[in-house]
Amino acid sequence: MAYSDPIYVMFDGDEDAWAYRFMKGWNASENVSFEFANAHDLDNMTSRAQDEDYVKRNLRNRMNGSSQVLVLIGEKTKNLFRFVRWEMELALDLGLPIIAANLNGSRQLDASCPPIIRDKCVVPRAVQDEGYQARACPLA
């Protein structure tokens, strides 16, 4: 049975898009037991996506329609401020549950985790090719 509430996925679009594509592939596959409602499929951004205000307005709308947030934590995620940090701040402001997943194979909270969510989430599993494993953590 598919989880029907949209999940907002955050990631470094330059370095970690491969992990997001894996998730979309698993979701589409009949051979993999992995299903999620992707908040980014709710609408398409137009060619105006170069305008930061336009992008943030659309991302805010997507997040407002989401029930939780998934942060794919790559090597550079903690250094991204323009969108990813802004998205994490918005998720915290909205009180959305945050699921954090390491892409480096670590099954522990490590130095890769962005400080803004380090004390808010637990990263008990890693994202690996054989499947996605992560546990949600409540926000205090």
Side-chain angles (χ1 to χ4, degrees):
M1 182 171 159
Y3 189 73
S4 60
D5 291 337
I7 299 172
Y8 186 97
V9 183
M10 293 177 211
F11 58 95
D12 177 348
D14 294 326
E15 301 288 328
D16 303 325
W18 63 268
Y20 179 66
R21 286 191 299 272
F22 263 99
M23 289 178 57
K24 289 182 72 167
W26 294 330
N27 195 43
S29 175
E30 294 178 8
N31 300 319
V32 178
S33 179
F34 180 87
E35 298 179 38
F36 77 106
N38 187 353
H40 292 293
D41 288 343
L42 298 177
D43 65 15
N44 291 315
M45 285 198 218
T46 67
S47 59
R48 290 185 49 215
Q50 299 301 316
D51 175 45
E52 185 173 343
D53 290 334
Y54 172 81
V55 171
K56 286 183 175 180
R57 188 170 47 255
N58 277 276
L59 295 179
R60 178 184 296 275
N61 288 339
R62 291 175 184 181
M63 197 176 296
N64 278 329
S66 301
S67 61
Q68 59 196 316
V69 172
L70 171 64
V71 184
L72 301 176
I73 300 174
E75 186 178 322
K76 298 179 181 177
T77 305
K78 69 179 179 183
N79 302 320
L80 301 175
F81 288 87
R82 184 174 178 199
F83 293 112
V84 177
R85 168 76 183 225
W86 175 84
E87 289 170 308
M88 286 185 248
E89 289 172 347
L90 180 58
L92 291 169
D93 289 347
L94 294 173
L96 292 171
I98 297 174
I99 303 163
N102 278 332
L103 300 180
N104 65 6
S106 174
R107 294 178 180 262
Q108 301 178 32
L109 244 171
D110 61 20
S112 296
C113 186
I116 188 172
I117 62 170
R118 193 171 289 150
D119 295 333
K120 307 288 187 209
C121 296
V122 176
V123 185
R125 299 283 190 258
V127 173
Q128 299 173 340
D129 290 359
E130 70 266 9
Y132 169 81
Q133 300 174 349
R135 185 179 76 211
C137 57
L139 295 175

